[in-house]
Amino acid sequence: MENRTDLAVECYEEKETTQLEGVIVREQGNVTTVSVTNENGAAALGKPVGKYVTLRVNSFVNDTDIFDGRLTAFAEVLRSVLPPNMTSVLVAGLGNIHITADALGPKTGCYVLSTRHIVDDLKQTAGLEGLFCVSSIETGVLGETGIESAELIQGVAAQVRPSCIITVDALAASSVDRLGTTVQFSDSGIAPGSGVGNHRNEISLKTVGVPVVAIGIPTVVSTAVITNQPDAAGTFVTPREIDRITEQGAKLIGMGINVCLHRGIDARDLYALVG
């Protein structure tokens, strides 16, 4: 039975082995890092060469306080996968705002502090010299726009010329326990919809010309995982608290990006600017 998942750590766990050639796994507290170092590892996991970091967090269902240390943990992990010496970032929210389980990317944009339009003189006047150059977009979905997300990002990137692109998208998991409790970071880009068998054009350094960091939270799981029926592998379900998971997850990701990029500005002040 094909076990569809976007999480590199689950791809590794499915192999039921302690060692794979070209794959290095490290665990430290709530952080698990899966490094795919060569093409042998990429073939074994079905993931491109790169680093995949999983941050385990308290469930978003009942926990609403993001100022409990999670933002600091999130920002530290994000810094570990971002390229050095950046001068600007484009944040791209992927997904369908009208489908709750797929709305993580668009909702994240509500919490991202976009600053590309703020000139240096205004930053100094407002006492916000620590603001980083950030722009953001929501790509929508092909069925509504008629345009691939990758094409939209390529076009915008050609105009704003970011040092790095951060994509945010909902993911599929093979474990119910990881829904709304896991954040995956990757420096290898993203192929939207791959976990649910709806492959769209790849968004990566190879396709857009700048490094792409992907962030996501699992919101769906294959019915086959729950029923143990292989013929249900193409059907996906989501928990009844999905609206809570999506909203709180978007808040954590958006604010985590802000804390990571806009250094020297207090997290609560950043939240006041976007909230």
Side-chain angles (χ1 to χ4, degrees):
M1 178 177 68
E2 181 183 7
N3 202 358
R4 290 176 174 169
T5 178
D6 289 307
L7 301 179
V9 66
E10 290 187 333
C11 293
Y12 177 78
E13 290 170 350
E14 289 169 10
K15 299 300 179 180
E16 297 182 350
T17 181
T18 58
Q19 186 173 357
L20 287 174
E21 182 184 357
V23 179
I24 301 172
V25 180
R26 295 188 178 90
E27 291 193 26
Q28 184 175 7
N30 292 328
V31 177
T32 301
T33 302
V34 178
S35 298
V36 180
T37 61
N38 57 39
E39 293 304 323
N40 289 333
L45 287 194
K47 296 289 182 185
V49 172
K51 186 191 322 186
Y52 302 82
V53 186
T54 300
L55 174 65
R56 294 181 295 280
V57 296
N58 294 332
S59 173
F60 296 119
V61 175
N62 300 313
D63 196 356
T64 61
D65 182 13
I66 61 173
F67 300 100
D68 59 357
R70 277 181 292 173
L71 286 177
T72 300
F74 183 103
E76 289 178 355
V77 174
L78 180 55
R79 289 189 190 107
S80 74
V81 295
L82 287 173
N85 305 318
M86 297 187 308
T87 57
S88 62
V89 162
L90 169 65
V91 180
L94 313 181
N96 190 338
I97 189 66
H98 303 297
I99 299 177
T100 306
D102 196 34
L104 179 70
K107 283 182 176 292
T108 295
C110 298
Y111 298 100
V112 172
L113 181 59
S114 298
T115 59
R116 180 174 177 265
H117 59 292
I118 303 177
V119 298
D120 290 340
D121 288 347
L122 181 56
K123 291 179 185 178
Q124 293 177 356
T125 301
L128 297 173
E129 292 87 347
L131 288 179
F132 192 78
C133 181
V134 179
S135 51
S136 64
I137 59 169
E138 299 171 15
T139 65
V141 290
L142 181 64
E144 289 188 340
T145 65
I147 308 171
E148 288 276 4
S149 295
E151 295 173 329
L152 281 169
I153 292 173
Q154 286 172 333
V156 173
Q159 294 297 316
V160 304
R161 300 183 183 279
S163 301
C164 175
I165 295 170
I166 298 175
T167 65
V168 182
D169 197 13
L171 306 178
S174 63
S175 169
V176 174
D177 293 337
R178 285 194 166 100
L179 297 180
T181 63
T182 303
V183 186
Q184 177 175 267
F185 305 74
S186 170
D187 63 2
S188 62
I190 186 174
S194 58
V196 296
N198 182 30
H199 297 265
R200 308 310 320 160
N201 290 356
E202 176 183 325
I203 304 168
S204 66
L205 172 62
K206 180 173 64 177
T207 61
V208 299
V210 296
V212 177
V213 169
I215 305 175
I217 293 173
T219 59
V220 298
V221 64
S222 172
T223 306
V225 174
I226 301 172
T227 64
N228 200 30
Q229 296 178 355
D231 58 354
T235 305
F236 292 82
V237 294
T238 191
R240 62 183 179 181
E241 303 90 355
I242 187 58
D243 54 342
R244 189 77 170 167
I245 291 172
T246 301
E247 184 64 37
Q248 294 302 122
K251 184 185 295 185
L252 175 66
I253 293 176
M255 281 299 302
I257 291 173
N258 294 338
V259 170
C260 176
L261 298 178
H262 304 297
R263 301 192 187 189
I265 301 178
D266 184 77
R268 294 185 183 274
D269 291 337
L270 288 169
Y271 186 62
L273 291 171
V274 298

